[in-house]
PDB file of all heavy atoms in Angstrom:
ATOM      1  N   GLY A  31      60.176  55.645 103.626  1.00  0.00           N
ATOM      2  CA  GLY A  31      59.033  54.798 103.341  1.00  0.00           C
ATOM      3  C   GLY A  31      59.230  53.473 104.080  1.00  0.00           C
ATOM      4  O   GLY A  31      60.064  53.326 104.903  1.00  0.00           O
ATOM      5  N   VAL A  32      58.548  52.470 103.604  1.00  0.00           N
ATOM      6  CA  VAL A  32      58.585  51.106 104.207  1.00  0.00           C
ATOM      7  C   VAL A  32      59.924  50.534 103.653  1.00  0.00           C
ATOM      8  O   VAL A  32      60.130  50.563 102.430  1.00  0.00           O
ATOM      9  CB  VAL A  32      57.430  50.248 103.823  1.00  0.00           C
ATOM     10  CG1 VAL A  32      57.531  48.869 104.376  1.00  0.00           C
ATOM     11  CG2 VAL A  32      56.093  50.917 104.254  1.00  0.00           C
ATOM     12  N   THR A  33      60.677  49.904 104.513  1.00  0.00           N
ATOM     13  CA  THR A  33      61.926  49.313 104.107  1.00  0.00           C
ATOM     14  C   THR A  33      61.952  47.800 104.522  1.00  0.00           C
ATOM     15  O   THR A  33      61.246  47.375 105.499  1.00  0.00           O
ATOM     16  CB  THR A  33      63.151  49.916 104.725  1.00  0.00           C
ATOM     17  OG1 THR A  33      63.120  49.826 106.095  1.00  0.00           O
ATOM     18  CG2 THR A  33      63.239  51.416 104.353  1.00  0.00           C
ATOM     19  N   GLN A  34      62.557  47.018 103.658  1.00  0.00           N
ATOM     20  CA  GLN A  34      62.581  45.507 103.918  1.00  0.00           C
ATOM     21  C   GLN A  34      63.981  45.059 103.690  1.00  0.00           C
ATOM     22  O   GLN A  34      64.705  45.569 102.805  1.00  0.00           O
ATOM     23  CB  GLN A  34      61.621  44.806 103.036  1.00  0.00           C
ATOM     24  CG  GLN A  34      60.117  45.062 103.265  1.00  0.00           C
ATOM     25  CD  GLN A  34      59.275  44.193 102.435  1.00  0.00           C
ATOM     26  OE1 GLN A  34      58.469  44.734 101.511  1.00  0.00           O
ATOM     27  NE2 GLN A  34      59.350  42.923 102.668  1.00  0.00           N
ATOM     28  N   SER A  35      64.319  43.992 104.441  1.00  0.00           N
ATOM     29  CA  SER A  35      65.625  43.320 104.203  1.00  0.00           C
ATOM     30  C   SER A  35      65.511  41.865 104.482  1.00  0.00           C
ATOM     31  O   SER A  35      64.784  41.459 105.306  1.00  0.00           O
ATOM     32  CB  SER A  35      66.688  43.978 105.188  1.00  0.00           C
ATOM     33  OG  SER A  35      66.350  43.728 106.525  1.00  0.00           O
ATOM     34  N   PRO A  36      66.327  41.062 103.738  1.00  0.00           N
ATOM     35  CA  PRO A  36      67.176  41.462 102.648  1.00  0.00           C
ATOM     36  C   PRO A  36      66.346  41.621 101.408  1.00  0.00           C
ATOM     37  O   PRO A  36      65.141  41.455 101.425  1.00  0.00           O
ATOM     38  CB  PRO A  36      68.124  40.233 102.513  1.00  0.00           C
ATOM     39  CG  PRO A  36      67.265  39.049 102.942  1.00  0.00           C
ATOM     40  CD  PRO A  36      66.363  39.581 104.039  1.00  0.00           C
ATOM     41  N   THR A  37      66.913  42.099 100.302  1.00  0.00           N
ATOM     42  CA  THR A  37      66.207  42.195  99.082  1.00  0.00           C
ATOM     43  C   THR A  37      66.067  40.853  98.361  1.00  0.00           C
ATOM     44  O   THR A  37      64.976  40.670  97.694  1.00  0.00           O
ATOM     45  CB  THR A  37      66.967  43.182  98.093  1.00  0.00           C
ATOM     46  OG1 THR A  37      68.303  42.696  97.908  1.00  0.00           O
ATOM     47  CG2 THR A  37      67.054  44.545  98.690  1.00  0.00           C
ATOM     48  N   HIS A  38      67.003  40.037  98.432  1.00  0.00           N
ATOM     49  CA  HIS A  38      66.916  38.678  97.815  1.00  0.00           C
ATOM     50  C   HIS A  38      67.511  37.670  98.784  1.00  0.00           C
ATOM     51  O   HIS A  38      68.352  37.937  99.567  1.00  0.00           O
ATOM     52  CB  HIS A  38      67.785  38.587  96.463  1.00  0.00           C
ATOM     53  CG  HIS A  38      67.278  39.491  95.398  1.00  0.00           C
ATOM     54  ND1 HIS A  38      67.564  40.841  95.380  1.00  0.00           N
ATOM     55  CD2 HIS A  38      66.438  39.234  94.388  1.00  0.00           C
ATOM     56  CE1 HIS A  38      66.930  41.408  94.263  1.00  0.00           C
ATOM     57  NE2 HIS A  38      66.333  40.463  93.644  1.00  0.00           N
ATOM     58  N   LEU A  39      67.012  36.428  98.699  1.00  0.00           N
ATOM     59  CA  LEU A  39      67.478  35.382  99.560  1.00  0.00           C
ATOM     60  C   LEU A  39      67.261  34.038  98.846  1.00  0.00           C
ATOM     61  O   LEU A  39      66.267  33.795  98.242  1.00  0.00           O
ATOM     62  CB  LEU A  39      66.578  35.353 100.847  1.00  0.00           C
ATOM     63  CG  LEU A  39      67.086  34.898 102.139  1.00  0.00           C
ATOM     64  CD1 LEU A  39      68.417  35.441 102.494  1.00  0.00           C
ATOM     65  CD2 LEU A  39      66.118  35.212 103.206  1.00  0.00           C
ATOM     66  N   ILE A  40      68.192  33.150  98.944  1.00  0.00           N
ATOM     67  CA  ILE A  40      68.203  31.811  98.399  1.00  0.00           C
ATOM     68  C   ILE A  40      68.400  30.818  99.529  1.00  0.00           C
ATOM     69  O   ILE A  40      69.346  30.869 100.345  1.00  0.00           O
ATOM     70  CB  ILE A  40      69.277  31.612  97.355  1.00  0.00           C
ATOM     71  CG1 ILE A  40      69.052  32.516  96.207  1.00  0.00           C
ATOM     72  CG2 ILE A  40      69.146  30.107  96.827  1.00  0.00           C
ATOM     73  CD1 ILE A  40      70.143  32.410  95.181  1.00  0.00           C
ATOM     74  N   LYS A  41      67.385  29.941  99.685  1.00  0.00           N
ATOM     75  CA  LYS A  41      67.445  28.953 100.793  1.00  0.00           C
ATOM     76  C   LYS A  41      67.141  27.486 100.171  1.00  0.00           C
ATOM     77  O   LYS A  41      66.729  27.414  99.008  1.00  0.00           O
ATOM     78  CB  LYS A  41      66.391  29.158 101.849  1.00  0.00           C
ATOM     79  CG  LYS A  41      66.618  30.434 102.664  1.00  0.00           C
ATOM     80  CD  LYS A  41      67.724  30.220 103.630  1.00  0.00           C
ATOM     81  CE  LYS A  41      67.907  31.376 104.568  1.00  0.00           C
ATOM     82  NZ  LYS A  41      68.931  31.110 105.622  1.00  0.00           N
ATOM     83  N   THR A  42      67.450  26.554 100.927  1.00  0.00           N
ATOM     84  CA  THR A  42      67.079  25.119 100.471  1.00  0.00           C
ATOM     85  C   THR A  42      65.936  24.623 101.279  1.00  0.00           C
ATOM     86  O   THR A  42      65.612  25.054 102.351  1.00  0.00           O
ATOM     87  CB  THR A  42      68.273  24.187 100.626  1.00  0.00           C
ATOM     88  OG1 THR A  42      68.734  24.237 101.970  1.00  0.00           O
ATOM     89  CG2 THR A  42      69.376  24.642  99.691  1.00  0.00           C
ATOM     90  N   ARG A  43      65.285  23.579 100.686  1.00  0.00           N
ATOM     91  CA  ARG A  43      64.127  22.999 101.383  1.00  0.00           C
ATOM     92  C   ARG A  43      64.457  22.564 102.802  1.00  0.00           C
ATOM     93  O   ARG A  43      65.516  22.019 103.073  1.00  0.00           O
ATOM     94  CB  ARG A  43      63.647  21.774 100.588  1.00  0.00           C
ATOM     95  CG  ARG A  43      62.753  22.116  99.392  1.00  0.00           C
ATOM     96  CD  ARG A  43      62.301  20.779  98.745  1.00  0.00           C
ATOM     97  NE  ARG A  43      63.445  19.959  98.278  1.00  0.00           N
ATOM     98  CZ  ARG A  43      63.291  18.782  97.802  1.00  0.00           C
ATOM     99  NH1 ARG A  43      62.084  18.225  97.704  1.00  0.00           N
ATOM    100  NH2 ARG A  43      64.356  18.058  97.426  1.00  0.00           N
ATOM    101  N   GLY A  44      63.477  22.830 103.692  1.00  0.00           N
ATOM    102  CA  GLY A  44      63.746  22.382 105.093  1.00  0.00           C
ATOM    103  C   GLY A  44      64.370  23.460 105.975  1.00  0.00           C
ATOM    104  O   GLY A  44      64.266  23.367 107.167  1.00  0.00           O
ATOM    105  N   GLN A  45      64.957  24.508 105.349  1.00  0.00           N
ATOM    106  CA  GLN A  45      65.588  25.501 106.118  1.00  0.00           C
ATOM    107  C   GLN A  45      64.542  26.481 106.681  1.00  0.00           C
ATOM    108  O   GLN A  45      63.359  26.457 106.357  1.00  0.00           O
ATOM    109  CB  GLN A  45      66.609  26.268 105.303  1.00  0.00           C
ATOM    110  CG  GLN A  45      67.897  25.457 105.051  1.00  0.00           C
ATOM    111  CD  GLN A  45      68.953  26.390 104.448  1.00  0.00           C
ATOM    112  OE1 GLN A  45      68.679  27.098 103.345  1.00  0.00           O
ATOM    113  NE2 GLN A  45      70.168  26.297 104.959  1.00  0.00           N
ATOM    114  N   GLN A  46      65.025  27.428 107.497  1.00  0.00           N
ATOM    115  CA  GLN A  46      64.181  28.466 108.143  1.00  0.00           C
ATOM    116  C   GLN A  46      64.753  29.822 107.610  1.00  0.00           C
ATOM    117  O   GLN A  46      65.866  29.991 107.292  1.00  0.00           O
ATOM    118  CB  GLN A  46      64.232  28.337 109.598  1.00  0.00           C
ATOM    119  CG  GLN A  46      63.511  29.388 110.390  1.00  0.00           C
ATOM    120  CD  GLN A  46      64.305  30.570 110.756  1.00  0.00           C
ATOM    121  OE1 GLN A  46      65.556  30.578 110.803  1.00  0.00           O
ATOM    122  NE2 GLN A  46      63.713  31.700 111.060  1.00  0.00           N
ATOM    123  N   VAL A  47      63.781  30.765 107.533  1.00  0.00           N
ATOM    124  CA  VAL A  47      64.184  32.111 107.023  1.00  0.00           C
ATOM    125  C   VAL A  47      63.556  33.159 107.831  1.00  0.00           C
ATOM    126  O   VAL A  47      62.374  32.984 108.359  1.00  0.00           O
ATOM    127  CB  VAL A  47      63.784  32.221 105.526  1.00  0.00           C
ATOM    128  CG1 VAL A  47      62.288  32.281 105.357  1.00  0.00           C
ATOM    129  CG2 VAL A  47      64.450  33.508 104.954  1.00  0.00           C
ATOM    130  N   THR A  48      64.176  34.285 108.000  1.00  0.00           N
ATOM    131  CA  THR A  48      63.612  35.409 108.757  1.00  0.00           C
ATOM    132  C   THR A  48      63.719  36.691 107.839  1.00  0.00           C
ATOM    133  O   THR A  48      64.853  36.973 107.322  1.00  0.00           O
ATOM    134  CB  THR A  48      64.331  35.752 110.103  1.00  0.00           C
ATOM    135  OG1 THR A  48      64.166  34.616 110.982  1.00  0.00           O
ATOM    136  CG2 THR A  48      63.694  36.931 110.684  1.00  0.00           C
ATOM    137  N   LEU A  49      62.559  37.362 107.573  1.00  0.00           N
ATOM    138  CA  LEU A  49      62.523  38.512 106.813  1.00  0.00           C
ATOM    139  C   LEU A  49      62.225  39.692 107.709  1.00  0.00           C
ATOM    140  O   LEU A  49      61.428  39.515 108.649  1.00  0.00           O
ATOM    141  CB  LEU A  49      61.505  38.380 105.742  1.00  0.00           C
ATOM    142  CG  LEU A  49      61.579  37.168 104.848  1.00  0.00           C
ATOM    143  CD1 LEU A  49      60.541  37.200 103.796  1.00  0.00           C
ATOM    144  CD2 LEU A  49      62.910  36.977 104.235  1.00  0.00           C
TER     145      LEU A  49
END
Side-chain angles (χ1 to χ4, degrees):
Chain A
V32 180
T33 60
Q34 293 186 243
S35 63
T37 56
H38 294 83
L39 205 52
I40 300 175
K41 292 286 187 179
T42 57
R43 281 182 301 172
Q45 285 190 312
Q46 178 265 342
V47 68
T48 297
L49 310 181

